């Protein structure tokens, strides 16, 4: 009996000591920041803490184009400024964290079991956007992804959350993306000179070894400045933030959204559209087939080639065959025969994929490549009187060509897959196999 | 102390019965009444079984109380007698429950057959299926036939289940259907076992990878009903919820046409007004 009592007491004490909470939520620094020497890492961490806070104590940096939620005396729960960010955080912790991680690094507890991996927001890049090449994602784009999910991946739909919950989540995700991007920008400034590796290289340089104390002194000058010369780093912080704010604000500008000028002609109304689209798909200029394969099965030659790691010096290839995105994950070109469209199945979604590409991947935008007076056969298109097309006509021709491709792509799932695809006849000067 | 345990073991069944009696009227751990005709019959089966088990529960607890009361140790040197091995007793408590179970299993067959046997399904619902629903971790992907499409025969439906049609309409997690008539969906799973569960309509059917399972239901009135996954399907099981919106036939047709229009959106703003981009995909 006494043994039982003491065991029970022990159990209760142990339970009280351990509790039933999980690990504490905290923002972790990126690998890039972690690779810096401690003296260089400290200012980045401080700047992040000052401007973004911790998961428990968020800081609403007014500079950022994020709707933090204004104080509303009338609305219960909304009395304090920043309520929206807090709501967003709470929802994020419930619905998103286990894949996308507390810091939005795509490294939550379940991330390792998913293929494709969850998005790491910290590059400030999102794949499926309605904006032009090189432009950030709009809030609407993230909203659409939340509502529809991403078919073919582990991102489910959150269509049944309340509208205000969705907007709070979108803003919180944008805020996390900005936080990560800000960290990256600051890290980029210091990596070249003050990463652990760079400092080791500099101190052990055979020809001109530097002293570690000198390096630290130079870093100190950069961070703190002197009486005569103001420090550069605070200026870097400011300019990085300004550039980031401009980019995210710009994305919301309607002029940066890809909106077709000419409506789509349905294949039923324009019966040649699909075959024209097929020719474009198989043309060497666009080279869609190099990745997506002749029949659209996503088995093009690029998907089995070795590809170099961008920015590696000396140049190194990825150890695995196949295409990789900017996050370093292996990606497969979409198998177009499945009728599964990650960025949405509306014609406008596919138009945007062709026009502006998929951000962060080798799916390039073809807006420029298609902006010419050539038709699907590569022949020059002229007006009936023999004059060259003007700019507006070229733009109209481009839209028609993109819609042709869209119509063809949307038709692929319904084609007879048992028939071997045949390449159109190569032009007289046989081009080399293009690797786009 | 002598009678304490007898009273103690009597008190708990009384609390349990009082609690269960009060539960429905206070909304404790109780569904709202079934919102479908078949669901009401399922509820009736439930109540029948509830009456049977309550009777048995009261009977056994009274017997337990009686034994505890009568034979509790009063200090008198009485000799115990044992009934172990009594043939009559064994027969009685084997045959009686078996009879009750047999009764229940026969009595519910009609409801079961109407819910599960395809030959008893509503002909119109079978001929014009509402949608194909594909469960996957962790959402319900829905594919409707094109607005206005009428399937001519069974072969056409089978073909439609094998390969999507060009004009199919897709959505996710929000299933609309006409109220007040039986509708049929074809249920599949893309990955693991899920279970299509609409508690208010008393419909539950596992989704099994590799199988296409027809499920019918009928919502008695235009309303929203929760659709949840009733099979632990992974870490995100809890978030796998959908919504059934039962509405008038006309509203349903309008909804489907609007969804199809959103899906065909080519991004070109209408000339007269600025169109807000749809969310259907």
């Amino acid at each position: 009996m006494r043994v039982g009592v003491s065991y029970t007491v022990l159990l209760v004490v142990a339970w009280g000591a351990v509790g039933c909470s999980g690990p504490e939520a905290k923002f972790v620094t990126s690998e890039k920041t972690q690779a810096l020497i401690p003296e260089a890492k400290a200012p980045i961490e401080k700047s992040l803490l000052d401007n973004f806070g911790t998961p428990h104590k968020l800081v609403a940096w007014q500079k950022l184009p994020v709707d933090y939620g204004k104080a509303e005396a009338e609305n219960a729960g909304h009395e304090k400024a920043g309520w929206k960010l807090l709501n967003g955080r709470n929802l994020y912790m419930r619905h998103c964290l286990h894949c996308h991680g507390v810091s939005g690094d795509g490294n939550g507890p379940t991330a390792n079991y998913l293929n494709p991996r969850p998005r790491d927001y910290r590059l400030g890049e999102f794949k499926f956007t309605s904006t032009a090449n090189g432009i950030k994602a709009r809030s609407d784009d993230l909203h659409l992804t939340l509502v529809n999910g991403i078919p073919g991946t582990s991102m489910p739909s959150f269509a049944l959350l309340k509208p205000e919950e969705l907007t709070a989540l979108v803003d919180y995700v944008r805020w996390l993306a900005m936080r990560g991007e800000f960290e990256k920008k600051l890290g980029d400034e210091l990596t070249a000179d003050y990463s652990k590796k760079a400092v080791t290289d500099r101190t052990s340089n055979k020809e001109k070894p530097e002293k570690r104390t000198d390096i630290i002194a130079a870093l100190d000058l950069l961070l703190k400045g002197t009486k005569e010369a103001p420090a550069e780093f605070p200026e870097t912080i400011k300019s990085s933030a300004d550039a980031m704010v401009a980019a995210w604000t710009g994305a919301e500008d309607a002029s940066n959204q890809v909106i077709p000028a000419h409506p789509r002609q349905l294949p039923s109304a324009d019966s040649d559209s699909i075959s024209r689209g097929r020719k474009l798909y198989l043309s060497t200029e666009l080279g869609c087939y190099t990745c997506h394969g002749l029949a659209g099965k996503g088995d093009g030659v690029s998907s089995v080639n070795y590809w170099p790691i961008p920015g590696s010096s000396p140049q190194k290839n990825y150890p695995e065959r196949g295409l990789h995105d900017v996050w370093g994950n292996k990606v497969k070109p979409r198998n177009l025969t499945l009728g599964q469209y990650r960025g949405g199945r509306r014609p406008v979604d596919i138009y945007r994929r062709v026009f502006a590409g998929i951000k962060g991947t080798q799916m390039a935008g073809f807006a420029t490549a298609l902006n010419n007076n050539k038709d699907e056969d590569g022949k020059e298109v002229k007006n009936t009187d023999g004059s060259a097309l003007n700019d507006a006509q070229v733009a109209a021709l481009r839209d028609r060509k993109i819609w042709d491709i869209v119509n063809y792509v949307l038709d692929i799932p319904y084609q007879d897959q048992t028939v071997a695809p045949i390449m159109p006849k190569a032009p007289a000067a046989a081009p080399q196999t293009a690797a786009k | 102390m002598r009678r304490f345990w007898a009273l103690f073991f009597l008190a708990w069944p009384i609390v349990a019965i009082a609690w269960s009696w009060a539960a429905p009227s206070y909304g404790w751990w109780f569904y709202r009444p079934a919102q479908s005709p078949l669901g009401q019959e399922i509820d009736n089966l439930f109540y029948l079984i509830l009456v049977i088990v309550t009777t048995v529960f009261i009977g056994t607890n009274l017997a337990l109380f009686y034994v505890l009361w009568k034979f509790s140790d009063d200090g008198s040197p009485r000799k115990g007698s044992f009934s172990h091995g009594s043939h009559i007793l064994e027969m009685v408590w084997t045959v009686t429950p078996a009879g009750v179970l047999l009764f229940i299993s026969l009595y519910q067959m009609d409801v079961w057959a109407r819910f599960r046997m395809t030959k008893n399904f509503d002909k119109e619902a079978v001929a014009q299926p509402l949608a194909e629903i594909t469960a996957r971790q962790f959402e319900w992907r829905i594919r409707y036939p094109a607005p206005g499409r009428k399937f001519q025969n069974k072969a056409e439906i089978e073909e439609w289940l094998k390969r999507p049609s060009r004009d199919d309409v897709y959505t996710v997690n929000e299933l609309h259907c006409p109220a007040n008539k039986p509708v049929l969906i074809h249920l599949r799973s893309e990955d693991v076992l899920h279970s299509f569960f609409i508690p208010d309509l008393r419909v539950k059917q596992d989704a099994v990878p590799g199988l296409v399972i027809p499920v019918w239901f009928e919502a008695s009135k235009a309303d929203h009903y929760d659709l949840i996954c009733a099979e632990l399907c992974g870490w995100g099981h809890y978030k796998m919820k959908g919504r059934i919106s039962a509405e008038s036939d006309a509203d349903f047709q309008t909804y489907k046409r609007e969804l199809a229009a959103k899906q065909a959106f080519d991004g070109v703003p209408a000339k007269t007004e600025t169109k807000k981009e749809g969310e259907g995909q």
Side-chain angles (χ1 to χ4, degrees), chain A residues 59-199:
Chain A
V59 174
W61 195 6
Q62 294 308 322
K63 195 182 183 94
L64 303 181
V66 174
D67 179 8
Y68 295 118
K70 289 198 185 74
E72 296 167 21
E74 306 292 298
N75 207 340
H78 298 177
E79 297 93 349
K80 269 195 187 158
W83 58 268
K84 205 168 182 182
L85 190 69
L86 290 178
N87 280 1
R89 177 199 65 188
N90 295 349
L91 287 163
Y92 182 90
M93 295 298 182
R94 191 181 316 150
H95 295 292
C96 320
L97 163 149
H98 52 74
C99 291
H100 291 286
V102 176
S103 325
D105 53 3
N107 205 12
T110 47
N112 283 340
Y113 308 104
L114 307 183
N115 181 16
R117 281 188 76 88
R119 179 66 42 247
D120 171 359
Y121 310 141
R122 296 173 306 170
L123 300 185
E125 290 257 27
F126 291 91
K127 276 188 176 175
F128 304 109
T129 69
S130 63
T131 50
N133 224 335
I135 308 286
K136 301 250 174 241
R138 296 160 63 86
S139 298
D140 291 352
D141 299 336
L142 300 181
H143 190 266
L144 210 60
T145 302
L146 274 182
V147 169
N148 292 333
I150 304 181
T153 75
S154 302
M155 172 76 184
S157 156
F158 292 91
L160 294 184
L161 291 185
K162 296 186 193 109
E164 65 268 23
E165 292 182 322
L166 286 171
T167 54
L169 268 179
V170 166
D171 269 321
Y172 188 73
V173 167
R174 289 173 72 242
W175 181 81
L176 274 182
M178 289 178 208
R179 184 188 175 279
E181 195 184 347
F182 182 66
E183 180 185 1
K184 178 175 176 289
K185 278 179 186 287
L186 297 188
D188 285 348
E189 292 292 326
L190 298 177
T191 295
D193 293 334
Y194 302 105
S195 73
K196 285 171 193 157
K197 184 172 178 298
V199 170

Side-chain angles (χ1 to χ4, degrees), chain A residues 185 203 271 281 323:
Chain A
K185 278 179 186 287
T203 49
S271 54
Y281 179 92
L323 299 159

Side-chain angles (χ1 to χ4, degrees), chain A residues 69 72 108 116 132 151 177 179 200 202 209 216 229 266 302 307 388 397 405 422 432 434:
Chain A
E72 296 167 21
R179 184 188 175 279
T200 316
R202 285 167 74 181
I216 302 296
L266 288 169
S302 302
W307 287 85
L397 181 64
I405 297 171
I422 304 161
Q432 289 163 359

Side-chain angles (χ1 to χ4, degrees), chain A residues 225-413:
Chain A
T226 58
K227 270 181 194 158
E228 298 80 42
E232 279 175 36
F233 194 67
E235 196 49 46
T236 306
I237 293 180
K238 192 175 169 304
S239 60
S240 302
D242 287 345
M244 193 174 74
V245 168
W248 284 95
T249 315
E252 302 292 329
D253 194 293
S255 65
N256 279 324
Q257 201 177 16
V258 175
I259 294 174
H262 303 85
R264 171 193 183 209
Q265 293 295 321
L266 288 169
S268 52
D270 180 1
S271 54
D272 288 341
S273 176
I274 290 175
S275 62
R276 285 199 307 266
R278 180 168 184 275
K279 281 183 184 165
L280 287 163
Y281 179 92
L282 293 172
S283 69
T284 42
E285 287 78 26
L286 303 185
C288 306
Y289 63 90
T290 55
C291 291
H292 292 286
L294 291 175
K297 286 183 179 155
D299 55 357
V301 64
S302 302
S303 68
V304 288
N305 279 349
Y306 285 104
W307 287 85
I309 301 173
S312 57
S313 73
Q315 203 179 63
K316 260 194 339 200
N317 280 352
Y318 284 107
E320 245 187 314
R321 287 166 185 273
L323 299 159
H324 289 72
D325 59 21
V326 291
W327 293 272
N329 299 327
K330 190 181 164 178
V331 284
K332 275 186 171 167
R334 192 61 37 244
N335 179 347
L336 299 168
T337 63
L338 298 178
Q340 207 171 43
Y341 307 99
R342 292 191 177 173
R345 64 164 58 245
R346 299 175 305 171
V348 65
D349 295 322
I350 298 166
Y351 178 99
R352 283 170 178 155
R353 298 297 94 78
V354 177
F355 187 99
I358 297 174
K359 313 266 161 76
T361 73
Q362 276 92 337
M363 173 69 193
F366 291 94
T368 320
L370 285 164
N371 201 23
N372 54 42
N373 58 1
K374 304 257 175 59
D375 68 4
E376 65 283 356
D377 290 319
K379 278 198 217 114
E380 203 173 310
V381 180
K382 284 182 179 160
N383 285 319
T384 39
D385 61 2
S387 60
L389 300 184
N390 61 28
D391 284 355
Q393 285 171 315
V394 168
L397 181 64
R398 175 175 73 178
D399 261 9
R400 195 197 77 183
K401 285 189 280 189
I402 297 182
W403 284 129
D404 287 344
I405 297 171
V406 170
N407 285 339
Y408 174 65
V409 165
L410 284 172
D411 189 65
I412 289 178

